[in-house]
Amino acid sequence: MKLEARRLVDRLWNYCNVLRDDGVSSLEYLEQLSFLVFLKMASEMEEAGKPLSEDKRRHVLPDTEEWRGRGWPELLDLTGSALEEEYTQLLADLGKQDEGQNTTLGLIFRRARNRLQNPANLRRLIVDLIDKEDWFSASKDIKGDAYEALIARSAEDTKAGAGQYFTPRVLIESIVRCMRPAPEDTITDPACGTGGFLLAAHDYIVQEYGDDMSTEESARFDEGAIWGTELVPATARLAAMNLLLHKIGRPDGKPLIHVEDALAKPPAKRASMVLANPPFGKKSSIVITNIDGSVSREDMSYHRKDFWETTTNKQFNFVQHIANLLTDNGRAAVILPDNVLFEGGRGASIRRELLKRYNLHTMLRLPAGIFYAGGVKANVLFFDAAPPRRSDDEPPHTKQLWVYDLRTGNRFTLKQNPLLPGHLEDFEKRAFGVGECALDTAIARRESEGRLQVFDGAELVTTKDVNLDIGLIESDAAEAKSLTELTLALSADLRGALAELESLAADLNVKLSSSA
């Protein structure tokens, strides 16, 4: 991260610590930051357009007499309870103003609420932090990277459930390098969280093809050639803001993030590339409020004609949905937990159909310790669309499944021993020919030894359970060594956390008791 972006992150995150005393969580702070930064950007865009004639100016906020003077300039002029009241009313009015318009503005402010109840802290956030930065014209490497870094810190700070919307950037970028998105691609993430995969794919295209891309090719991505779907409105809000700050999409244009249950119906629009890390947890469920006011959960199955099997397991549902999202020559990379590889019953049937109907050519076995959700062991499945099979007697489209085992002998932790780009270089080179001295992929795979193994697709299909929980097997000695290294790393993490607590206590002039 650039020094200027790091400076901005540190300033904004330090203020998050101040707001904790007001009962504002890190995620709530990030949400309020999104509202205020959007208003500041809208004001900057308005100022930039003043030399132009009225019909050529961009008005992000409603361009009516009622709204003249409202927004950021108004907030700057207010203090005390008047500021709190106007900010609260402004959020409510913006949420209503865009009803039926379907714009990014509407997505960001839909059901927006003021969580900052201390007017003095609200004014400091507006005047001392956000107003001093140039958000609209600043480089995306500064404002975009800073915002994404705040999301990462918020995920780390929250921990519980954070793995459901945050995928490590190192892993995302590695997957994107293997997938090689191009300007002509249409790209989606049906469980986009805060938009990490969409940003990385767009960045890759700009870096690889930017100088040769036409204006029309660049504009495609603002107009819907890249999009995401997110079930949780608050998370979708962060994703929309994340894209905007990386200069993808328009605040007054159609939203690139769709707030809906991606699994609820067959896709209305297909993509040539799908990148996804669906939420962890096996069951799909809905929350039900009973007559007596109590809340319960009910397992939910998705009855879709385009699904091969009906199941309450949301990972298997996402596998089927992603497969159906692909265009005729589409390709997908999806992160899935281990249970998808071996769970029996309908799970075996879904794996069999995937091998038959699609070319499941590569699987990366990931070690534990790289996600904020603790103990998760996951895998990246890479598969391509294939022509319809004329009969069930035809061989499966998966001729060979190459499995790269990064798990055996490796243990990672989030702080002391994090996953780094270098850990994935061999996989990228051997499995996909990525790198400055990239090998021909076919040759690289044929000559590979060690972690990359090949399995016959036809043989896998004919087995009873279609078990894909395959790869290297750790020896007892290697497993013991790995567990020892993990224990040491976790111990170091705990010592570091204790030191941070002691430092915080010292700053607050609080003396920890000897029994603490």
Side-chain angles (χ1 to χ4, degrees), residues 243-288:
L243 293 182
L244 274 183
L245 290 173
H246 283 84
K247 297 190 174 180
I248 307 172
R250 296 188 296 270
D252 49 352
K254 296 293 183 184
L256 302 180
I257 306 299
H258 305 155
V259 186
E260 60 188 21
D261 183 352
L263 301 175
K265 57 187 177 182
K269 178 182 177 183
R270 287 177 166 78
S272 63
M273 182 175 294
V274 180
L275 306 166
N277 178 14
F280 298 146
K282 294 170 61 174
K283 293 290 186 181
S284 295
S285 60
I286 54 176
V287 177
I288 301 209

Side-chain angles (χ1 to χ4, degrees), residues 15 17-24 115-118 121-122:
Y15 199 63
N17 294 329
V18 173
L19 292 177
R20 282 195 181 90
D21 293 339
D22 292 341
V24 179
R115 309 277 184 185
L116 307 175
Q117 304 302 319
N118 185 325
N121 284 337
L122 175 58

